[in-house]
Structures are given as structure tokens and as C-alpha cells.
């Protein structure tokens, strides 16, 4: 790529890592090319290309509908926040850079990608988590009632907090050096966010 002349903008800053990058979807999955600027759409397509992500997300959303039946049995305790914490345990979507070094290299290669990618990645995780929490809230309202704006805001807060912490850890401390898939899925760093959110749920319920 030619260098920019004096006084001219650097052409590299206009490039989008997703224009040239073809992610090797984990472990031999079909390759896709991201569209320029549409990082959220890229992430969605990346996730839907791997059955593990879909099964884990669908399973959590199914659990969300049943959680009120389990957590509501503890009379005298505010167990609602604990449900929000549980629904933030979608750990596979929180290690996208760790599980695909090629994606990490492409994202880190060009200027400005850290802000663009991390912002969109955090929003994506938050939306996924909040969707599960919304199912949980609807189910709770149908069974017990009493859901108001405060509960919705609490759900949004848990979704946002877990997303921010997940993206921070993935960007600053990606899991490296793993040789087989089992090493990645059982790495202790994966469980930092779930533990923090469970502790937050327990404190919020006191």
C-alpha cells in the first residue's frame, strides 16, 4: 500500500479490517467475509456459523423462561437479580478473539479498530444478555407479577456490566497458547465474569 504524502490523510485509517478478513470460523467451519462497517452484522454471522454458540445461547434463553419457577421458591429473598447474573453466563460469545487468533490479528492490525470492534462487540454481548433477561422478566411477570421499570433497568445494568467486563478481559487478556478446543473451553479466565456477576446478583438481592 503506498504511503500517504505530506499533508494527505493516511489511507490505512480508512481501511476496514473486515473488508479483507475472512474468518476461519472455529475448527473448520464455513468461511465468510464481513461487510464493510457492519461489525454487528459480522458478529451475528460469525456466531450463527458455529453451532456451539447457537446451542448455548438458545439453551440460556430457554432456561430464562424457567428460572422464575426455580428462583421464586425462596420466599423472603429477592432472587430476581440472581437470575440476571445467571443469564450473563454465555461464555462462548465472550471469547471470540481467543478462539480465533486470525480475527484478533485482523482487528488489531489497523488504527481505530480497537474502538470500533470493542464498542460493537460489547453492544452485541449486552444485547444477547438483555434478550435472555427480557425472557426472564416476561416469565416472572406472567407467574408472579410485580415487574416494573426498576427491574428492567436492573436487567439492563447487569447486561451492560457483564458485556463491558467481558470485552475488557478479551481485549487485554485474550486466552492464548491453547492447543486443543478443550483447553480453551475450560480455561479459568472464562469464569471470571460469571463469578463476578453472581456475586453482584447475591449482593443486589440482599
Amino acid at each position: 500500500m503506498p504511503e500517504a504524502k505530506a499533508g494527505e490523510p493516511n489511507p490505512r485509517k480508512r481501511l476496514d479490517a473486515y473488508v479483507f478478513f475472512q474468518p476461519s470460523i472455529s475448527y473448520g467451519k464455513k468461511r465468510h467475509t464481513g461487510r464493510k462497517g457492519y461489525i454487528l452484522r459480522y458478529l451475528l454471522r460469525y456466531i450463527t456459523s458455529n453451532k456451539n454458540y447457537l446451542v448455548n445461547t438458545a439453551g440460556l434463553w430457554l432456561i430464562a423462561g424457567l428460572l422464575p419457577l426455580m428462583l421464586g421458591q425462596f420466599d423472603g429473598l429477592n432472587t430476581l437479580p440472581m437470575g440476571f447474573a445467571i443469564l450473563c453466563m454465555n461464555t462462548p460469545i465472550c471469547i471470540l478473539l481467543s478462539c480465533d487468533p486470525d480475527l484478533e490479528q485482523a482487528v488489531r492490525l489497523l488504527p481505530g479498530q480497537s474502538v470500533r470492534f470493542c464498542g460493537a462487540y460489547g453492544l452485541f454481548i449486552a444485547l444477547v444478555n438483555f434478550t435472555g433477561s427480557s425472557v426472564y422478566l416476561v416469565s416472572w411477570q406472567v407467574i408472579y407479577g410485580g415487574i416494573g421499570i426498576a427491574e428492567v433497568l436492573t436487567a439492563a445494568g447487569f447486561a451492560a456490566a457483564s458485556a463491558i467486563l467481558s470485552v475488557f478481559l478479551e481485549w487485554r487478556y485474550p486466552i492464548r497458547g491453547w492447543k486443543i478446543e478443550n483447553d480453551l473451553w475450560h480455561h479459568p479466565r472464562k469464569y471470571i465474569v460469571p463469578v463476578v456477576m453472581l456475586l453482584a446478583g447475591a449482593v443486589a438481592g440482599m
Side-chain angles (χ1 to χ4, degrees):
M1 177 180 294
E3 296 293 334
K5 297 180 180 179
E8 294 183 358
N10 188 341
R12 293 182 180 177
K13 292 185 178 181
R14 297 194 300 269
L15 286 178
D16 191 323
Y18 310 95
V19 172
F20 63 82
F21 177 61
Q22 291 185 329
S24 53
I25 302 301
S26 299
Y27 321 119
K29 300 294 182 182
K30 184 178 179 181
R31 292 174 179 263
H32 295 283
T33 302
R35 294 183 182 180
K36 182 177 180 179
Y38 294 102
I39 305 177
L40 283 174
R41 184 181 300 177
Y42 173 87
L43 289 170
L44 178 61
R45 188 163 52 191
Y46 190 98
I47 294 298
T48 55
S49 298
N50 191 311
K51 185 173 66 175
N52 289 334
Y53 296 127
L54 292 178
V55 169
N56 193 78
T57 301
L60 269 178
W61 291 354
L62 177 61
I63 291 173
L66 302 175
L67 268 179
L69 296 174
M70 296 179 281
L71 296 179
Q73 296 177 358
F74 297 92
D75 295 332
L77 294 176
N78 181 11
T79 56
L80 192 65
M82 187 60 68
F84 300 143
I86 293 172
L87 295 171
C88 292
M89 291 185 177
N90 195 346
T91 55
I93 68 170
C94 299
I95 57 169
L96 293 189
L97 296 182
S98 295
C99 73
D100 196 332
D102 290 337
L103 173 60
E104 180 188 2
Q105 183 179 12
V107 170
R108 295 182 185 274
L109 181 63
L110 299 174
Q113 290 299 313
S114 59
V115 176
R116 293 181 60 213
F117 179 82
C118 288
Y121 187 24
L123 178 60
F124 179 80
I125 295 175
L127 288 174
V128 171
N129 290 343
F130 186 69
T131 299
S133 294
S134 298
V135 175
Y136 173 54
L137 286 173
V138 170
S139 179
W140 189 286
Q141 176 66 23
V142 170
I143 298 173
Y144 304 112
I147 298 299
I149 186 63
E151 287 72 25
V152 175
L153 291 177
T154 301
F158 270 82
S162 63
I164 291 171
L165 183 55
S166 296
V167 173
F168 172 79
L169 289 175
E170 187 66 352
W171 185 256
R172 294 296 299 271
Y173 306 103
I175 302 172
R176 294 182 174 133
W178 56 274
K179 296 181 180 180
I180 60 175
E181 181 180 354
N182 191 59
D183 293 339
L184 177 63
W185 296 125
H186 294 90
H187 195 280
R189 205 224 73 189
K190 275 185 59 182
Y191 303 103
I192 294 177
V193 176
V195 170
V196 171
M197 299 315 298
L198 286 174
L199 290 175
V203 171
M206 290 181 177

